[in-house]
Amino acid sequence: MNEALLQFVWQYSLYRLTGLQTAAGEPLTIIHCGRLNKDAGPDFLEGKVKIGNTTLVGNIELHIKSSDWLKHGHQNDAAYQNLILHVVFENDVKDAAANTPVLELKEHIPPHVFAHYSGLMQTVQKLPCAGQHQKVKDITKEAWLSRLLAERWEQKLADWNVLLENSAEDWRNLLYWRMAANFGFKTNATPFLMLAQSLPLNIPTRHKDNLTQLEALFFGQAGMLEDDFKDDYPRELQREYDYLRKKYQLKPIKQHLWKFLRMRPANFPTIRIAQFAALVHKSIHLFSQIIETHTVKEIEPLLDVKASSYWDTHFQFDVAQKQTSKKSLGASSVQNIIINTIAPIQFLYAARQDTHKLQERSLQLLEAVPAEKNNITRLWAENDWHAVNAAQSQALLQLYNNYCSEKRCLECSVGLNIIRSAS
Ligand code: SF4
């Protein structure tokens, strides 16, 4: 037994409810366990119990042993003087909390609660409830996934709100920064965001009709135009960038921030920067278009971009490939951008406008995108939990990263159902 488990048992009534009595021998009925208090003071607030013929409403404190009351010094704390109940696992010291009725739970908790809890806590499996979550109803899992997705977006969008406030509520700018970070995908998201933040949006916007100048700005600010090149193309970009850098007094980020190691060449940051420049070049009022589109079919043409022709035969400057290939943004990259930038920004915009219908649409958009394939969704699939769309795969990522890997099974709906199950 530990404090967290005792609290869980109390909160979800995982003990035999009949035949309860206080340590003084009076019959006891729990009408309401109270509201879990995460701040200082008693553990549960505004509980309701009936002792003998008297109904009491008030706060409830929990301890593993009744002697903990004295150890924690509650006898000298005014916040603990008017409790209606002291719930303990073991009543080792009689009347430790003078004038407060005591309920000892030890004999009332069924053995399966301990067995299922230790099964989850002691396993060395990557997924502690492997082989067990199947006994939880689908409807319970689906409701839990919806809450996890909301939690994921809440965490993510808190940072975006800060970015928005830092850019004087300029949504175009938020989209520019988040889209740039997304083009860096997992490995180069940070340098890509730094690149965008080093180049105010009004500058690429001013040069959006000239792709060479856009590439010069982005590659130059990425710190990638500082070498002695052989090819004409990077030398031309260098000349353009020298001029634009002086004109706008730009300061590039450091080239060493970019990672190429262990990446597929199609994902090299050089290719992604060229594609990002192509996106800026082709887009007209991209933010408005993104806010107004709600289906994958409508969004795909907006993101249908390919790197300029030099990149048909290169993955890096001055290193020619034998084969020619167009470097388009692939379908999985487009899906990744819908999941990580477009749907969340639509949701945030709708929330700021207080438009419930638009919020719903951004969730529907996510549901229309196939589930992501990565190590975590594969782990779930191997354990018989298959995400059917990106909304579910995002929720499963949240579940694994924030709950399973930290063994927070007591805070998880699946964990609750496994622990309370008698089988
Ligand atoms: S947190 Fe939930 S889903 Fe994850 S291992 Fe524990 S019980 Fe299973």
Side-chain angles (χ1 to χ4, degrees):
M1 179 52 76
N2 58 52
E3 292 266 353
L5 180 59
L6 183 63
Q7 212 168 63
F8 181 80
V9 164
W10 179 250
Q11 186 175 10
Y12 295 105
S13 308
L14 303 183
Y15 51 89
R16 289 184 208 99
L17 292 165
T18 51
L20 295 178
Q21 49 178 271
T22 65
E26 291 175 288
L28 171 66
T29 307
I30 310 301
I31 301 166
H32 177 41
C33 72
R35 187 165 42 81
L36 181 63
N37 176 25
K38 293 188 176 159
D39 299 318
D43 294 318
F44 286 82
L45 306 177
E46 297 158 21
K48 192 172 181 184
V49 303
K50 189 173 175 194
I51 298 176
N53 292 322
T54 311
T55 300
L56 301 166
V57 175
N59 301 337
I60 297 169
E61 179 68 1
L62 270 59
H63 284 124
I64 305 292
K65 292 184 175 182
S66 52
S67 55
D68 292 339
W69 178 277
L70 302 170
K71 269 195 217 152
H72 297 176
H74 292 334
Q75 67 277 19
N76 303 318
D77 188 336
Y80 293 85
Q81 298 315 305
N82 291 308
L83 302 185
I84 58 166
L85 194 63
H86 184 204
V87 178
V88 298
F89 180 66
E90 188 184 343
N91 191 18
D92 64 331
V93 170
K94 279 195 179 157
D95 300 327
N99 304 325
T100 305
V102 176
L103 166 64
E104 186 187 60
L105 275 185
K106 192 162 64 177
E107 302 304 327
H108 297 281
I109 304 172
H112 70 254
V113 169
F114 295 105
H116 290 321
Y117 174 70
S118 25
L120 290 170
M121 292 302 119
Q122 286 165 12
T123 179
V124 289
Q125 301 218 56
K126 259 183 150 180
L127 196 59
C129 67
Q132 292 195 74
H133 69 77
Q134 292 83 346
K135 56 187 170 194
V136 178
K137 285 184 184 153
D138 286 347
I139 190 166
T140 305
K141 287 178 170 174
E142 276 161 28
W144 178 224
L145 289 186
S146 297
R147 276 169 51 203
L148 286 162
L149 179 64
E151 181 184 286
R152 185 174 178 83
W153 276 16
E154 208 173 286
Q155 288 168 356
K156 178 177 190 146
L157 298 180
D159 291 344
W160 292 27
N161 265 317
V162 174
L163 286 178
L164 201 54
E165 278 153 25
N166 290 345
S167 65
E169 303 283 316
D170 185 340
W171 287 91
R172 286 167 55 247
N173 205 48
L174 177 68
L175 176 65
Y176 170 56
W177 285 350
R178 292 319 314 170
M179 190 68 95
N182 207 154
F183 266 70
F185 294 89
K186 210 172 175 180
T187 316
N188 284 302
T190 302
F192 232 118
L193 178 61
M194 290 167 71
L195 160 60
Q197 290 181 329
S198 77
L199 184 64
L201 178 59
N202 64 318
I203 300 175
T205 304
R206 212 172 290 167
H207 295 272
K208 75 180 289 303
D209 293 334
N210 186 327
L211 182 57
T212 308
Q213 287 179 341
L214 280 178
E215 291 185 348
L217 282 167
F218 285 118
F219 280 113
Q221 282 305 96
M224 291 188 188
L225 294 180
E226 291 170 9
D227 300 334
D228 287 329
F229 295 110
K230 296 192 307 277
D231 289 354
D232 288 343
Y233 170 72
R235 291 164 75 143
E236 186 188 353
L237 294 185
Q238 259 176 338
R239 281 192 297 277
E240 284 285 357
Y241 179 61
D242 279 349
Y243 164 74
L244 294 167
R245 179 182 180 171
K246 283 185 198 114
K247 180 175 176 179
Y248 295 115
Q249 300 183 337
L250 297 172
K251 196 163 176 273
I253 67 167
K254 302 281 181 223
Q255 185 171 13
H256 68 77
L257 295 171
W258 299 97
K259 296 188 181 69
F260 288 77
L261 256 185
R262 288 188 285 279
M263 294 186 83
R264 286 176 48 234
N267 295 332
F268 278 178
T270 38
I271 302 301
R272 296 306 189 191
I273 291 172
Q275 290 167 339
F276 189 68
L279 177 69
V280 175
H281 180 54
K282 88 166 236 179
S283 301
I284 301 164
H285 305 306
L286 186 60
F287 177 72
S288 310
Q289 293 202 52
I290 278 178
I291 292 301
E292 283 158 19
T293 49
H294 301 291
T295 65
V296 176
K297 273 214 162 355
E298 285 173 321
I299 291 168
E300 277 169 347
L302 302 179
L303 297 175
D304 181 16
V305 290
K306 57 177 177 291
S308 61
S309 56
Y310 175 81
W311 301 102
D312 292 353
T313 49
H314 294 79
F315 288 108
Q316 297 184 77
F317 290 121
D318 283 353
V319 185
Q321 293 170 240
K322 287 190 186 114
Q323 287 164 347
T324 301
S325 59
K326 296 276 176 214
K327 308 295 188 307
S328 305
L329 206 56
S332 65
S333 299
V334 170
Q335 287 161 6
N336 187 299
I337 291 169
I338 294 175
I339 294 167
N340 291 297
T341 300
I342 296 181
I345 209 166
Q346 285 185 349
F347 185 87
L348 181 62
Y349 185 75
R352 287 286 196 105
Q353 308 293 313
D354 210 8
T355 322
H356 190 66
K357 201 168 151 198
L358 278 181
Q359 280 179 286
E360 282 289 309
R361 281 197 186 168
S362 61
L363 293 170
Q364 286 162 4
L365 175 63
L366 212 53
E367 285 166 3
V369 175
E372 299 140 277
K373 289 195 175 78
N374 52 44
N375 290 344
I376 294 176
T377 54
R378 268 189 285 277
L379 176 68
W380 282 114
E382 282 159 18
N383 285 282
D384 214 17
W385 196 341
H386 302 268
V388 298
N389 55 42
Q392 289 198 353
S393 58
Q394 284 280 292
L396 285 174
L397 290 180
Q398 182 77 0
L399 178 55
Y400 185 77
N401 290 332
N402 292 271
Y403 292 83
C404 313
S405 63
E406 294 172 21
K407 293 215 173 174
R408 288 173 61 194
C409 304
L410 292 182
E411 296 164 66
C412 162
S413 288
V414 175
L416 167 63
N417 281 277
I418 289 172
I419 293 171
R420 71 150 54 122
S421 144
S423 57

